[in-house]
Amino acid sequence: MKREIYKSQVKDAGTHGMLQIIKEVAFSDDPRDLGYMADNVPCQRACPASTNIPGYIRCITEGRYGRSYELNRIYNILPATLGRICSRPCEAACRHGEHDLGQSVNICHLKRAAADLKPGMHRIKEDLYAPSGKSVGVIGSGPAGIGAAHDLAVFGHNVTLYESMPEAGGMLRYGIPAFRLPRDILDLEIGNVLRLGVDLKVGVMVGHDVMMKDLLKKHDAVITTVGCMAPNSLGVDGESLDGVISGLDFMVRTNLGQPVPIGKRVIVVGDGFTAMDCARSSLRMGAQSVRINILSTEEFMPVDAHEIHEVKVEGARIYSLVTTHRIHGSQGRVEGIEFLRTRLEDTPDGRGRIAVPIENSAFVMEVDTVIAAIGQHPTVDFGQPLVMNGQRIGVQPDRFLTSVDRLYAAGDCVTGASNVISALASGRKVAQEVDERFVGRRRRTQMVRFEAAEQTDREREYDFIRPVAMPTLAVSDRFDVGENEVEKGYREVEAKRESLRCYLCSLKYEIDVSRCIYCSMCIDVAPRDCIKMISGVSENSDGTYGDYGETGNWNEVVAIAIDNKRCIRCGQCYDVCPMDCITITKTELVEVDREE
Amino acid sequence: MPKDDHYVIVGNGPAGNHAADTLRDEDPEANITIISDEKPLYYYKHRVPAYMVGGCEFEALRIRPYRIYREKSIRLRLGQRVERVVPQERCLYLKHMEKIHYTQLILAVGASGRRLPSHADFSEHLHCLAGFDDAKRVREAMMKSTRIVILGGDLVSMGLAREACKAGKEVVFILYSSLFWPVALKAEIQQNVTERLTALGVEVLVDTEPVTDVQPQEGGYRITLPDGSSLSADLVFSCFGFVPNIRFLLGSGINTEKGVLVDHMMRTNQEGIYACGDCAQIYNPEFKDYWLSVGWGNAETQGVLTAMNLLGGKSVIDYQPKEIFDMDGVTIRTSWWKSFT
C-alpha cells in the first residue's frame, strides 16, 4: 500500500517532514479490532454507509476539501446531496452530544462544506476493476439505484438504469423540494455516476413499457430499487374530497412543475420530512395559514430540531396531540377536518409513545387544502409474481435475493420507507451480492487500518467551541423565488471552526503497561472517568472485547487503562505522562480489496 | 423516628412555595428542598418592571425573609440549575454535576419570555422580561437610557411601559395586535389599550407590526419598520407572553408538549413526578383541549393541590373554563386577564 503525503500535512517541515511521517501501516480484520471500531467511532458505526467521518472532518481542519469530498464519496457517493438532506444518524450518535459533553458536531453541515469548498474541477477518483462483460439492469434511479449502479459500474459490469420519471434521482428529485436540494447539485453528482458508463433509460416503466421477464432475459441480473411511491391513506371518511391530496403526490407534482391548486388555509397531516417539505412548499405557493397536525408531540417527531425551527420561522404552526377523525366537505369539496385530541401512552419498552385518541374530544378546523403526508409504501407491479413481505418485497436476509432467481431487491421497497442514506447503503450492499454471484467471491471487505500518530491534533479548548450555526437565507428572501436554497453553507472559517469540535474518536489512546509506573497522574488530569484502574477485561461471545473490570484496590490492579468509549481525546493524559508511555494510533475503518 | 422522604420542588415561584408550605404543614418530618436557577428569594413578579427601571430596590419585591424557610426547615438551593431529571433513578442532576435524589418531585419551573419566530434573525438584540434575572441583566443600561422601544405585547409590556414613563423615559410602544398574548386584540380592546398607554405618555404605534429588523448602532439600536422607516432607541424590549421552561426535560421520559403534560391530579406520566403552575399543561374534558394556566392565583392554587395529591390526596383541578384563551393553538387559562380588560 503506497502512502501519499502532501506538504500541507507537514507545513514548514518540507520533504524531511514528509519522509518522517512514512511509517508502517497495518490492516486488520480481527473481530476485536472491528469491534473496537464499532464501539469507539460511534458516528461511523451509526452511518448506514459507514462513512469515515473523523477522516473527512480532519481533512476539513487541514483545508483539504477535495480530499474530504472524495473520502466521503468512497462511502456515500453523493456528498453534496447528503450534506443537505441526510437524516444524520451520525449526529445522534456523536460522542460530543453525550450528557455533560455539549452538543453533537454538525457532521452533515461539514459534509456539505467539503462539497462547497472543494477546488473547482478537482480530481474524481474511482478505482475501477477490469470489465467483466456481465450486464445488470437496475430498476429505479433513487438513492438505492444510484448506489447499486455506481458500485456495479466500478466492479466492471455493464449497468442499465431504468427510470420511469423524466429524469434520474427518484425521491431525491421528486420527493425533496429544490429549496433544500438545488437541482444542479443533484445533476452533478448523479452525472458523476452516469459517466462511469451507466446507461440511463428514462421514461421507462417496468411492467408497462418493458416486462420484467424480458429484462431478466436481457441482463445477467436485475435489481429492483423502486422505493416506496404509493402514499398511505388516512383511512377516514371524506378522503376522496377535492382539496385532499397526499404529501407525496403534492411534492412530485410540484417538482415536475405541474400546477397544484392549493387554498389559503392548508393543513398538513403528518410529522416526517415530507410533511415539513409540504408545509414549507405550501407557504412558497402562497398559502396564508399552514398548520402541521401531528399525533404525538414535537419531541417524538422523526425530523431534527433544525428542521422544526425552519418550518416555524417560515410561518407554519405545529399542532400536537391530534388525530384525524374525518374530513368534512360539501359539494365534493373539502371544508374542514374533524380531529380528536390524543394523549400519550408509553410503548412497552418505555422509550416511545403511542398517541391514543381521547373520547369525546372531537373538534373541527376549517381548511381549504388537506395534505396527508403520513408515509408511503411500495407499489410492485412488474407483471412478475414475487413473494412479498407484507406490502414490501421479500428477500433473503442480507442477500437481497427475491423469490425469483437473478432478481434482487434493495432500498425502501424492501425495508419500507426509510431515509436516503439507508437506501443508498443498501444499494451498495446489493451491488456486492450481485458482484459475488458473478465473480464467485467477495472482492471488497472492511478492514481496520492502523497508523502511528505523533500528536493528539487536539487542544483542550476545542472541546468548548460552541456549535457553528448554519447560515440561512433571511426569511423575507425565501418566498419570491421559491427555489432559492435556504441553507447557505459554511464559509471556510466556519467550516474550520466546526471541524475543530470533532473529538477525532478515530485516534486510539493506549497506555503501554510495560512502561507505566502507576503514578496515576493521567487519572488526575482526566476530564471525566475515562482512565481506570482495572483488574481485567472481559471478552464477548463474538470475539470482541467487553467492559473493563474496574477496581479501586491496588492489589488487584493489573493495568491503568484508557476507556476509549469514555475518552474524549482531549490529550491531557498524553501531555502529562512522565514516562511517555501513552501512545496514539490512528484507526480507520476502510474498504479494501480482499486478497485473492 | 426520622423519615427519609425527600420532596424536591424545582422552582421558587408561587406554585413552588405554596407546594412547599403545604407539604411542611401536612408532613412535619419530611426533607423538603426548593431548587431554583434564580438567585433571589421568593419575589413578586409584577413588581419586576419597577425594579428594572430603578423605581425600587429588590427588598420591595421580596415576599418573605430567609428566616421563614429556616423556621419551616425548607432547604433553599438558589442559583442552581437543574440540568436533567432521571425518573428511573429518582434523581436529578444539577448543572454543576451534583446528583440529588428525591422520593417525590414537583416541577414548578414556570415560564420564560416567548420570542416571536419572525424576530429570530435579530432576537439577540431584544430583551425579554420574564423574571428577576432578565431585569438584573439590563437594569444598569435601563437606568442610563432615555428612550426605549417596546415590542408588545402582554401584561408585562404594559407594566413596563407604565414604570418606564414614571421613571421619565421616553417610551415607544409598537403594538402587535394580532400577536398580543394570550389573545389577539379586537379593534375595541386595541383602542382601549392604546388610549390607556397614551394617557401614560407612551407613544403607541399600531399597524406597524412586525418590525423587520433591529440592529445595533452607535449608542443604541435602530429599529426598522415594515414601511422601511426606522426609529432609534437605547434599548428594545420584546414582551409576548410566556413559554414553559421545559427544555431540560426533553429526553427524560416525562411527557411534554408546550408544557409538562399532567393529568387532572397534576401527575406527570412518571411515577412520583408532579407539575404545577405556569409550566403544567392539562387536558380539559369540558373544553376539549389542553390548557396552560398562567398567573399568580392559578399557580398558588395548583401548588397547594399538587402538594396534597403528592401526600395521597385525590383532589381534581377545577375544570370550569373561565378566562380561557386560544393563542397559537395553545389554550391558556389566566387569573389576571380580567383586571386588564
Side-chain angles (χ1 to χ4, degrees):
Chain A
M1 185 87 182
K2 274 189 193 144
R3 287 294 316 282
E4 290 168 359
I5 309 291
Y6 295 93
K7 208 175 164 195
S8 59
Q9 285 168 271
V10 296
K11 303 278 176 333
D12 297 333
T15 308
H16 176 70
M18 289 196 269
L19 290 172
Q20 265 198 334
I21 290 182
I22 301 177
K23 285 203 175 151
E24 295 298 316
V25 172
F27 288 89
S28 160
D29 58 359
D30 190 311
R32 284 170 295 190
D33 293 326
L34 290 166
Y36 172 87
M37 292 304 288
D39 279 346
N40 284 282
V41 190
C43 51
Q44 189 169 11
R45 180 189 207 180
C47 177
S50 299
T51 305
N52 180 355
I53 292 164
Y56 85 70
I57 292 183
R58 186 69 202 152
C59 285
I60 291 174
T61 311
E62 291 167 352
R64 301 161 69 210
Y65 305 111
R67 169 75 186 147
S68 181
Y69 180 79
E70 285 305 305
L71 207 46
N72 259 292
R73 236 170 51 80
I74 292 171
Y75 302 87
N76 58 46
I77 304 173
L78 310 169
T81 302
L82 285 161
R84 291 168 163 84
I85 51 90
C86 190
S87 54
R88 310 166 194 192
C90 51
E91 292 183 13
C94 174
R95 189 163 280 138
H96 213 321
E98 285 178 9
H99 278 306
D100 310 326
L101 291 181
Q103 285 171 271
S104 299
V105 176
N106 285 318
I107 298 171
C108 194
H109 294 347
L110 287 171
K111 189 194 308 290
R112 173 176 171 172
D116 286 354
L117 301 171
K118 68 182 185 306
M121 292 189 282
H122 80 294
R123 182 187 285 262
I124 299 268
K125 289 180 184 160
E126 295 285 8
D127 285 345
L128 302 182
Y129 290 80
S132 68
K134 298 283 186 186
S135 148
V136 186
V138 178
I139 307 168
S141 65
I146 290 287
H150 172 271
D151 279 23
L152 287 164
V154 168
F155 279 131
H157 312 307
N158 296 319
V159 183
T160 310
L161 201 49
Y162 299 93
E163 172 58 54
S164 64
M165 301 295 273
E167 286 180 272
M171 272 295 184
L172 292 170
R173 187 180 300 276
Y174 296 107
I176 294 174
F179 60 83
R180 284 215 295 139
L181 175 57
R183 298 306 183 236
D184 55 333
I185 301 283
L186 184 63
D187 289 341
L188 186 104
E189 292 202 313
I190 292 179
N192 280 338
V193 175
L194 297 180
R195 63 197 281 218
L196 295 171
V198 174
D199 184 14
L200 172 68
K201 292 192 187 304
V202 294
V204 180
M205 173 87 86
V206 176
H208 183 263
D209 302 316
V210 53
M211 288 299 133
M212 180 62 92
K213 62 177 189 317
D214 297 328
L215 286 187
L216 283 164
K217 271 183 211 150
K218 187 176 171 191
H219 299 291
D220 297 299
V222 175
I223 303 171
T224 165
T225 59
V226 291
C228 289
M229 295 303 280
N232 293 343
S233 69
L234 288 164
V236 299
D237 290 345
E239 205 170 349
S240 55
L241 290 166
D242 269 357
V244 183
I245 184 172
S246 82
L248 189 60
D249 287 344
F250 175 81
M251 286 315 307
V252 169
R253 284 166 62 181
T254 310
N255 284 322
L256 278 168
Q258 294 173 356
V260 188
I262 60 160
K264 286 185 179 160
R265 295 166 302 179
V266 175
I267 291 183
V268 179
V269 178
D271 62 359
F273 278 105
T274 307
M276 303 301 116
D277 288 343
C278 290
R280 297 175 71 182
S281 298
S282 303
L283 287 163
R284 283 162 175 74
M285 290 158 72
Q288 285 176 1
S289 107
V290 176
R291 300 168 181 175
I292 301 168
N293 286 26
I294 64 173
L295 266 177
S296 61
T297 60
E298 283 177 29
E299 185 180 355
F300 297 101
M301 283 171 78
V303 301
D304 55 285
H306 179 76
E307 187 69 23
I308 294 175
H309 172 77
E310 288 301 325
V311 82
K312 286 184 181 168
V313 163
E314 289 181 4
R317 289 177 179 178
I318 298 176
Y319 282 67
S320 310
L321 298 170
V322 289
T323 182
T324 313
H325 189 45
R326 75 166 59 97
I327 300 174
H328 294 285
S330 69
Q331 294 170 341
R333 224 199 121 77
V334 65
E335 283 181 340
I337 311 189
E338 184 174 325
F339 289 102
L340 297 178
R341 303 272 176 200
T342 60
R343 66 166 185 276
L344 297 179
E345 285 188 4
D346 289 6
T347 51
D349 68 1
R351 266 180 247 154
R353 296 289 184 276
I354 304 166
V356 182
I358 298 174
E359 276 178 34
N360 296 325
S361 62
F363 66 99
V364 177
M365 277 186 179
E366 291 178 0
V367 66
D368 302 313
T369 305
V370 177
I371 302 176
I374 50 165
Q376 49 263 347
H377 58 271
T379 36
V380 181
D381 187 16
F382 305 131
Q384 172 80 46
L386 280 177
V387 172
M388 301 295 285
N389 170 20
Q391 288 179 315
R392 298 167 288 167
I393 299 178
V395 293
Q396 291 176 19
D398 296 327
R399 305 221 65 123
F400 302 96
L401 188 61
T402 67
S403 54
V404 176
D405 191 31
R406 294 189 294 116
L407 177 57
Y408 292 79
D412 283 5
C413 65
V414 172
T415 58
S418 61
N419 53 58
V420 174
I421 188 69
S422 300
L424 190 141
S426 122
R428 294 200 60 213
K429 284 178 191 145
V430 72
Q432 286 223 0
E433 278 298 318
V434 172
D435 181 65
E436 189 177 346
R437 176 184 201 113
F438 294 154
V439 181
R441 65 183 186 86
R442 282 275 160 142
R443 292 202 279 180
R444 303 283 290 168
T445 189
Q446 282 194 335
M447 292 251 220
V448 185
R449 180 184 185 278
F450 292 97
E451 180 186 352
E454 297 295 321
Q455 65 220 0
T456 65
D457 289 334
R458 300 251 319 138
E459 306 276 342
R460 181 75 172 115
E461 67 194 65
Y462 298 167
D463 296 340
F464 306 103
I465 299 176
R466 294 173 69 89
V468 181
M470 167 60 74
T472 53
L473 202 61
V475 175
S476 52
D477 295 337
R478 297 185 188 179
F479 300 109
D480 293 341
V481 182
E483 286 83 39
N484 281 347
E485 189 176 15
V486 169
E487 295 187 345
K488 296 202 282 195
Y490 286 149
R491 291 166 297 170
E492 264 195 86
V493 53
E494 290 160 332
K496 170 147 191 186
R497 190 170 170 76
E498 184 64 30
S499 74
L500 288 174
R501 297 184 63 234
C502 175
Y503 285 153
L504 300 179
C505 294
S506 57
L507 295 180
K508 180 182 191 181
Y509 283 66
E510 280 173 304
I511 297 173
D512 180 350
V513 183
S514 65
R515 284 195 290 149
C516 174
I517 55 168
Y518 298 87
C519 65
S520 73
M521 278 172 80
C522 53
I523 295 180
D524 293 343
V525 298
R528 62 199 307 226
D529 58 338
C530 45
I531 306 185
K532 295 169 173 171
M533 301 194 293
I534 63 167
S535 56
V537 186
S538 66
E539 197 171 324
N540 297 329
S541 56
D542 62 355
T544 59
Y545 282 126
D547 290 329
Y548 291 134
E550 263 191 274
T551 177
N553 184 351
W554 275 107
N555 291 334
E556 295 170 2
V557 172
V558 296
I560 291 185
I562 297 172
D563 184 348
N564 277 274
K565 280 186 251 181
R566 299 280 299 162
C567 170
I568 60 168
R569 277 70 171 169
C570 67
Q572 301 283 89
C573 58
Y574 182 82
D575 292 341
V576 80
C577 179
M579 297 301 291
D580 278 341
C581 66
I582 296 180
T583 58
I584 308 174
T585 315
K586 186 177 169 192
T587 60
E588 280 178 296
L589 189 65
V590 292
E591 227 181 75
V592 294
D593 278 350
R594 215 168 159 123
E595 288 167 52
E596 286 173 42
Chain B
M1 210 170 84
K3 289 174 68 173
D4 48 12
D5 277 340
H6 187 198
Y7 305 138
V8 174
I9 297 156
V10 188
N12 188 28
N17 276 283
H18 273 72
D21 288 355
T22 310
L23 288 172
R24 175 52 74 228
D25 292 346
E26 300 296 320
D27 186 348
E29 301 285 317
N31 296 309
I32 300 173
T33 304
I34 292 177
I35 306 175
S36 169
D37 63 342
E38 285 191 315
K39 280 191 184 144
L41 287 168
Y42 184 26
Y43 62 91
Y44 289 114
K45 243 177 199 163
H46 64 275
R47 290 188 195 159
V48 166
Y51 166 76
M52 187 181 67
V53 301
C56 65
E57 290 307 310
F58 177 69
E59 283 62 38
L61 271 61
R62 203 167 60 198
I63 294 172
R64 56 190 189 184
Y66 178 69
R67 177 176 52 78
I68 301 289
Y69 293 92
R70 207 168 45 219
E71 284 167 12
K72 288 178 183 268
S73 181
I74 293 171
R75 188 155 183 227
L76 276 182
R77 303 189 58 149
L78 303 181
Q80 302 184 11
R81 176 181 283 271
V82 177
E83 189 84 344
R84 64 190 157 105
V85 179
V86 186
Q88 299 81 7
E89 299 172 20
R90 293 217 174 206
C91 74
L92 47 84
Y93 288 87
L94 300 180
K95 175 96 175 163
H96 59 267
M97 303 220 184
E98 185 183 343
K99 183 177 180 180
I100 294 179
H101 284 276
Y102 62 81
T103 45
Q104 314 261 18
L105 176 67
I106 295 178
L107 299 168
V109 289
S112 37
R114 166 172 161 262
R115 290 178 176 272
L116 296 187
S118 60
H119 291 168
D121 289 344
F122 47 85
S123 65
E124 77 243 46
H125 305 309
L126 305 177
H127 296 284
C128 285
L129 192 55
F132 178 80
D133 284 352
D134 291 332
K136 195 173 175 203
R137 208 174 298 130
V138 74
R139 189 171 193 237
E140 204 175 320
M142 184 70 188
M143 287 165 74
K144 278 192 210 144
S145 72
T146 54
R147 176 180 159 93
I148 66 165
V149 166
I150 301 171
L151 315 178
D154 55 11
L155 272 200
V156 173
S157 62
M158 313 277 291
L160 170 61
R162 187 183 59 232
E163 294 300 330
C165 282
K166 236 195 257 176
K169 318 279 182 204
E170 202 180 315
V171 182
V172 181
F173 197 112
I174 302 182
L175 185 60
Y176 284 49
S177 298
S178 65
L179 290 168
F180 207 85
W181 193 90
V183 64
L185 297 181
K186 292 198 179 85
E188 186 193 338
I189 308 181
Q190 180 187 315
Q191 184 65 28
N192 184 335
V193 168
T194 311
E195 276 168 16
R196 263 207 263 176
L197 285 171
T198 313
L200 292 169
V202 177
E203 183 189 343
V204 183
L205 301 180
V206 290
D207 302 326
T208 50
E209 61 180 278
V211 303
T212 54
D213 203 6
V214 175
Q215 288 302 330
Q217 64 179 13
E218 207 180 330
Y221 297 92
R222 195 183 65 252
I223 300 105
T224 313
L225 302 179
D227 63 4
S229 64
S230 65
L231 19 139
S232 59
D234 299 324
L235 287 168
V236 187
F237 290 87
S238 143
C239 306
F240 293 94
F242 304 98
V243 284
N245 294 321
I246 55 163
R247 275 184 72 100
F248 75 107
L249 296 174
L250 290 181
S252 67
I254 300 169
N255 283 341
T256 58
E257 197 242 334
K258 297 285 186 288
V260 185
L261 293 170
V262 292
D263 66 8
H264 54 293
M265 287 164 67
M266 314 308 285
R267 298 178 298 200
T268 70
N269 64 317
Q270 299 289 344
E271 212 188 316
I273 303 183
Y274 299 75
C276 56
D278 287 6
C279 72
Q281 195 179 8
I282 310 165
Y283 181 72
N284 179 343
E286 287 181 29
F287 207 67
K288 297 184 177 181
D289 198 359
Y290 287 89
W291 85 26
L292 288 163
S293 69
V294 171
W296 201 271
N298 284 333
E300 287 183 349
T301 315
Q302 287 188 8
V304 173
L305 187 133
T306 304
M308 295 305 289
N309 284 348
L310 182 152
L311 295 169
K314 298 262 186 269
S315 308
V316 172
I317 195 78
D318 173 19
Y319 277 131
Q320 291 307 308
K322 57 199 165 202
E323 298 124 32
I324 284 202
F325 306 96
D326 183 3
M327 178 71 199
D328 263 8
V330 191
T331 305
I332 292 152
R333 177 193 196 200
T334 72
S335 52
W336 43 249
W337 184 254
K338 272 211 170 125
S339 67
F340 178 63
T341 54

